């Protein structure tokens, strides 16, 4: 226990940028999945899929695709992927090539609302996201990652769905992201 305490000690302090110092290694990756995320986000996530699709329709090149992250506040595998796989150098630039939508299916965080929401509002929005996931992808697992292409007709084409919840192979996930981009 003393060794674990010493290993986790850097997590008690902040860097010059105000981010929590995170020890490297598998042990901390799992501990980190249970912690609250840092306030600053590296990627520009949108919580409104309709707005993300509309934005992607106006983009040229690779930004015309929308990467959808079905996630949850209580999903440890989601947090693990978001904190340990998405920031990797082989993944982050690929994610930045997409218009990003993050849809919470258990409770939408208050920061995604323009005014302070009630619990009923956050739960109702999450229920809509979960219904959409069930209807389109016939799946309720979290996390679920999909790539969508908004068509000029107003419809949406599903380009791909990543079939693994907790990402165990970052190279395979990067290949999934690379394929629609032609990279």
């Amino acid at each position: 226990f003393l060794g674990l305490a010493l290993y986790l000690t850097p997590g008690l302090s902040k860097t010059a940028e105000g981010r929590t110092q995170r020890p490297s290694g598998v042990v901390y990756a799992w501990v980190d999945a249970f912690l609250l995320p840092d306030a600053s986000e590296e990627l520009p996530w949108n919580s409104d899929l309709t707005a993300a699709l509309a934005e992607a329709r106006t983009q040229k090149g690779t930004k015309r695709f929308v990467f959808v992250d079905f996630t949850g506040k209580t999903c440890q595998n989601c947090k693990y992927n978001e904190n340990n796989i998405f920031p990797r150098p082989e993944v982050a630039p690929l994610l930045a090539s997409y218009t990003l939508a993050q849809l919470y299916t258990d409770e939408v965080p208050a920061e995604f609302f323009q005014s302070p929401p009630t619990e009923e509002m956050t739960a109702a929005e999450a229920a809509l996201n979960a219904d959409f996931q069930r209807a389109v992808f016939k799946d309720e697992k979290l996390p679920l990652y999909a790539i969508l292409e908004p068509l000029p007709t107003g419809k949406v084409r599903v380009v791909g769905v990543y079939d693994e919840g907790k990402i165990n192979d970052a190279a395979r996930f990067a290949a999934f992201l690379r394929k629609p981009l032609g990279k």
Side-chain angles (χ1 to χ4, degrees):
F1 287 109
L2 183 58
L4 181 62
L6 289 173
Y7 172 73
L8 296 175
T9 299
L12 298 174
S13 59
K14 303 257 183 205
T15 64
E17 297 85 31
R19 302 192 80 212
T20 303
Q21 289 186 13
R22 302 193 183 276
S24 61
V26 174
V27 174
Y28 190 76
W30 278 107
V31 170
D32 188 43
F34 290 93
L35 301 176
L36 294 173
D38 281 341
S40 63
E41 290 279 338
E42 298 293 326
L43 296 168
W45 292 102
N46 191 332
S47 66
D48 182 355
L49 182 59
T50 305
L53 291 168
E55 179 184 332
R57 274 191 185 90
T58 65
Q59 300 293 323
K60 300 286 186 225
T62 59
K63 283 278 192 183
R64 73 177 189 275
F65 293 108
V66 177
F67 175 81
V68 182
D69 172 13
F70 288 97
T71 189
K73 284 179 76 173
T74 59
C75 173
Q76 271 62 49
N77 284 341
C78 303
K79 291 178 187 176
Y80 176 86
N81 292 342
E82 292 162 6
N83 293 334
N84 298 292
I85 303 297
F86 290 5
R88 289 183 141 194
E90 68 268 24
V91 173
L94 293 170
L95 283 173
S97 298
Y98 289 91
T99 300
L100 303 172
Q102 193 168 48
L103 305 179
Y104 283 80
T105 60
D106 57 358
E107 178 186 349
V108 178
E111 61 264 15
F112 284 126
F113 290 86
Q114 290 187 3
S115 60
T118 63
E119 282 186 38
E120 292 80 20
M121 291 169 66
T122 62
E125 186 73 24
L128 289 172
N129 292 338
D131 291 344
F132 172 72
Q133 180 182 355
R134 254 188 314 278
V136 174
F137 302 100
K138 311 292 188 250
D139 200 341
E140 294 183 28
K141 75 177 176 188
L142 290 181
L144 178 75
Y145 304 113
I147 298 173
L148 306 176
E149 179 181 18
L151 302 174
T153 61
K155 295 186 178 191
V156 175
R157 180 175 73 92
V158 177
V159 175
V161 177
Y162 193 70
D163 62 357
E164 185 177 44
K166 178 186 170 285
I167 300 170
N168 294 309
D169 185 354
R172 182 172 169 246
F173 183 67
F176 165 76
L177 294 172
R178 203 176 289 114
K179 187 176 180 181
L181 301 175
K183 291 184 178 183

